[in-house]
Amino acid sequence: WADQRLYRLTDGSTVPVAVTPEPPVPHGWRYADGTVTPDGRHVICVRETPDGDVRNDIVAIPAAGGAATVLATGRDFVAAPRVSPDGRRLAWLTWDHPNMPWDTTELWIADLSSGPTADSGTATGTATGSEGGTMVLTGAHRIAGEPEESLVQPEWAASGELFVVSDRSDWWNIYRVAGVDELLPVHPVEAEVGEPAWVFGQSNYVVADDGTIWFTYARSGHARLISVAPDGSTVDRSTPFVRMHHLAWDSGRIVALATESARETSIVEIVPASLHADDELTAGPAGFTVLRPPRDLGLDGHSISRPRHINFPSSGERTAHAWFYPPASSSAVTPVDELPPLLVLIHGGPTADARPEFALSTQFWTSRGFAVVDVDYGGSTGYGRQYRRQLNGAWGIVDVDDACAAATFLADQGLADRDRLAIRGGSAGGFTVLACLANRDVFTAGASYYGVVDLSALARDTHKFESRYLDRLVGPWPEAAALYTERSPLTHLDGLDRPLLVLQGLQDKVVPPAQAELIVKALRDRGIPHAYLTFEDEQHGFRIAANIVRSITAELSFYAQVYGFTPADPVEAVEIAFADRLAPEQ
């Protein structure tokens, strides 16, 4: 973060050496998703530059150090540059506004060679390094990516075959690229092998040296590991994990992050040559080896809440999904005549998903007497493209319906106190929190972390990646300005009469502090009980430990005051404006 330069660390050295030059302005040149050419002479990666309008290019950088040269440009976004094993071809992904990478992307390839000149087109170029020679990218052309098709994670096999993940079947599955727009399915499954490209470098499959493809997906909280040999034979293995991700292939082994529901993430190693032929992956030499175990948190099994996947009816005869966590504690017991308060979690994105992975931020609540439900409202990832598209044109409607439906479903089941239904969420989740509180009477309290208050302000003032995101979720901007106004919580403040906690990072460029201040002013003007906490050194998503602790304990204090209980562990109280207006019975 200090300078955004790329560094090289030589074996045996503890001092990194800068490879890229100083940027012209602080944090000016930003690099990501890099790969090294087979001869080791160049790094090919994505570079973002703030030259007026932010520009995203694929560049080549001499590994020995030197200036970057643009190889591919002219599109709004580029990602995943991948060099073929022989170093002769480059594949990468592109997309343009108003699409997001889970809407429509294209897979491009070009020839990569040494030579004195560059192609004259705007999409190719030449890279020269002091020790790297000259790189020439020629013949760039689109190889796959139809309208309304999302492609992620291109990968080369040692044979020179190219693979990519596509959602053309409704599910993100792996395909072999056979020709222009000719994709051949490797092993179809009704599950997501890919995931939304919110960040670079996600990996849910690898291609082994012998051409075998190893991939993973999760269904109903159980991760599976599948191998597909070059002859088409497959082995489908269950695992003890809820999810495996960030797969990497190295010298005959697979390394991955493995998550569970009752302990933190571990790093595991799998040696395919040593695996048993059965369908269960277990710990041991013939299964997986834990390279970095989870921390020992000192929690006994009775203090850990295990999630349960639930389906529930929602508006329009739809079925929505969620993960339910009952209260769990070895030291506190809920009175037999009292139902627990329910905390409804709304994930961000909104094109993200709820995952049944062990999270201290969830166990914090369940160990203190709360039931928790993490909602996968319509528009979430994990249930196919059609489910993901339910939110198109319906943000602020479908998500609100499903959040309310989850809470009332659990109350009807006798699993939560109908009078103590609270809702929390961050970013896009904060928008849903505010929309629920402003437009419905289901929830009795809420917490908005850097939530979207004014959709028009978000459309006018956010970073490049998400600057056209709302075109699909709401409508094209500014043509649909009236709809943006109608959907914004700020427009419906007359209905916002429940206690609300607002938390905001003052360095946030995605949802600027001005958005939080709009809602706080409105709450103050109407005399609604509320609290407002700001964090000077936080951006979008709190990352500093002390701030995370302060925010969640402040939230506990807030609910304690609203619902009239005393936290078992002492926490710093949060000051609630108009606290005297809380109902006496609370």
Side-chain angles (χ1 to χ4, degrees):
W1 174 246
D3 59 17
Q4 289 294 319
R5 300 173 74 184
L6 187 65
Y7 287 80
R8 182 185 72 250
L9 189 65
T10 304
D11 286 346
S13 172
T14 59
V15 180
V17 177
V19 173
T20 55
E22 284 276 4
V25 296
H27 324 306
W29 293 333
R30 300 178 282 269
Y31 305 91
D33 212 5
T35 183
V36 180
T37 55
D39 62 10
R41 294 182 174 183
H42 286 89
V43 176
I44 297 179
C45 63
V46 176
R47 185 183 70 180
E48 183 175 83
T49 57
D51 297 341
D53 294 333
V54 174
R55 194 176 76 243
N56 298 80
D57 304 315
I58 292 176
V59 300
I61 303 166
T69 301
V70 175
L71 293 179
T73 188
R75 304 295 295 269
D76 287 335
F77 297 98
V78 290
R82 299 294 181 259
V83 182
S84 62
D86 61 7
R88 295 180 178 179
R89 287 180 291 173
L90 180 71
W92 69 95
L93 298 173
T94 71
W95 68 97
D96 294 315
H97 285 316
N99 294 311
M100 300 297 286
W102 45 86
D103 295 324
T104 300
T105 57
E106 297 175 354
L107 176 64
W108 281 61
I109 61 172
D111 294 326
L112 191 64
S113 61
S114 298
T117 60
D119 185 272
S120 58
T122 60
T124 57
T126 303
T128 305
S130 57
E131 297 181 16
T134 301
M135 296 187 67
V136 180
L137 196 63
T138 58
H141 64 283
R142 185 188 66 83
I143 191 71
E146 299 178 345
E148 300 299 306
E149 178 181 20
S150 171
L151 304 173
V152 296
Q153 199 190 338
E155 300 285 354
W156 295 94
S159 63
E161 290 183 302
L162 180 61
F163 297 88
V164 72
V165 173
S166 166
D167 68 351
R168 57 174 51 187
S169 71
D170 191 45
W171 301 93
W172 267 312
N173 278 198
I174 305 172
Y175 292 81
R176 180 169 64 85
V177 180
V180 177
D181 290 326
E182 186 179 1
L183 301 183
L184 304 179
V186 169
H187 182 69
V189 293
E190 290 190 353
E192 304 285 29
V193 179
E195 53 190 309
W198 282 104
V199 296
F200 290 109
Q202 296 176 142
S203 174
N204 289 302
Y205 77 98
V206 293
V207 185
D209 296 335
D210 64 357
T212 299
I213 294 176
W214 294 82
F215 71 92
T216 181
Y217 66 87
R219 179 184 290 150
S220 300
H222 300 284
R224 305 197 69 85
L225 182 66
I226 295 87
S227 61
V228 182
D231 63 5
S233 60
T234 65
V235 178
D236 187 338
R237 294 178 170 85
S238 63
T239 77
F241 310 117
V242 299
R243 181 174 174 244
M244 296 179 69
H245 54 112
H246 285 81
L247 272 65
W249 175 262
D250 175 62
S251 303
R253 63 177 182 160
I254 300 167
V255 179
L257 299 185
T259 59
E260 302 177 58
S261 61
R263 55 181 193 163
E264 291 185 314
T265 298
S266 58
I267 300 176
V268 300
E269 175 190 74
I270 301 163
V271 180
S274 302
L275 289 180
H276 284 312
D278 58 30
D279 66 351
E280 183 175 4
L281 187 70
T282 58
F288 66 88
T289 301
V290 177
L291 299 182
R292 191 196 70 177
R295 294 180 299 171
D296 181 2
L297 300 174
L299 299 175
D300 61 74
H302 297 293
S303 295
I304 299 175
S305 180
R306 270 73 170 182
R308 174 167 62 91
H309 191 260
I310 61 172
N311 305 313
F312 53 92
S314 190
S315 60
E317 299 183 347
R318 295 180 302 106
T319 297
H321 308 273
W323 292 96
F324 175 68
Y325 297 78
S329 174
S330 59
S331 59
V333 179
T334 301
V336 293
D337 59 345
E338 182 178 321
L339 292 174
L342 176 71
L343 190 58
V344 176
L345 307 186
I346 304 297
H347 63 68
T351 313
D353 62 332
R355 295 174 177 174
E357 304 169 1
F358 180 84
L360 287 170
S361 57
T362 300
Q363 303 296 327
F364 176 89
W365 298 106
T366 56
S367 64
R368 286 161 174 80
F370 283 77
V372 171
V373 61
D374 202 353
V375 183
D376 267 333
Y377 47 84
S380 301
T381 294
Y383 306 91
R385 183 181 179 94
Q386 293 306 310
Y387 191 83
R388 197 167 72 240
R389 296 182 67 177
Q390 286 185 12
L391 211 57
N392 286 357
W395 193 29
I397 299 175
V398 166
D399 50 322
V400 170
D401 288 345
D402 292 355
C404 294
T408 55
F409 174 80
L410 291 170
D412 290 344
Q413 297 290 313
L415 297 172
D417 184 349
R418 193 179 301 274
D419 295 326
R420 295 187 293 175
L421 303 177
I423 184 170
R424 76 190 301 263
S427 189
F431 165 80
T432 303
V433 167
L434 297 170
C436 285
L437 294 174
N439 298 301
R440 305 295 175 85
D441 294 325
V442 172
F443 299 101
T444 52
S448 171
Y449 284 70
Y450 34 88
V452 177
V453 178
D454 182 353
L455 292 177
S456 298
L458 182 65
R460 292 190 304 264
D461 183 20
T462 191
H463 63 138
K464 179 184 176 182
F465 179 64
E466 295 187 69
S467 61
R468 299 293 299 277
Y469 191 9
L470 303 191
D471 279 37
R472 283 185 183 250
L473 297 179
V474 182
W477 176 263
E479 294 84 352
L483 186 56
Y484 279 66
T485 300
E486 170 60 27
R487 293 279 179 83
S488 295
L490 194 64
T491 305
H492 302 280
L493 295 180
D494 287 345
L496 189 60
D497 57 1
R498 308 300 169 92
L500 176 65
L501 172 65
V502 179
L503 305 103
Q504 179 70 40
L506 296 182
Q507 304 300 318
D508 195 334
K509 303 299 184 185
V510 179
V511 179
Q515 295 243 345
E517 290 159 8
L518 287 172
I519 202 72
V520 171
K521 181 181 184 302
L523 292 166
R524 185 186 308 113
D525 290 346
R526 300 188 64 244
I528 306 299
H530 67 277
Y532 182 37
L533 266 66
T534 61
F535 299 89
E536 177 66 38
D537 45 2
E538 289 289 1
Q539 301 178 58
H540 194 67
F542 297 166
R543 292 169 174 81
I544 299 173
N547 295 341
I548 295 172
V549 170
R550 175 56 184 147
S551 63
I552 200 169
T553 54
E555 191 178 349
L556 176 61
S557 169
F558 183 78
Y559 296 140
Q561 295 179 62
V562 171
Y563 293 137
F565 66 85
T566 301
D569 44 348
V571 296
E572 181 182 352
V574 63
E575 182 178 351
I576 299 180
F578 307 106
D580 58 322
R581 300 190 183 186
L582 294 172
E585 63 269 19
Q586 294 177 330

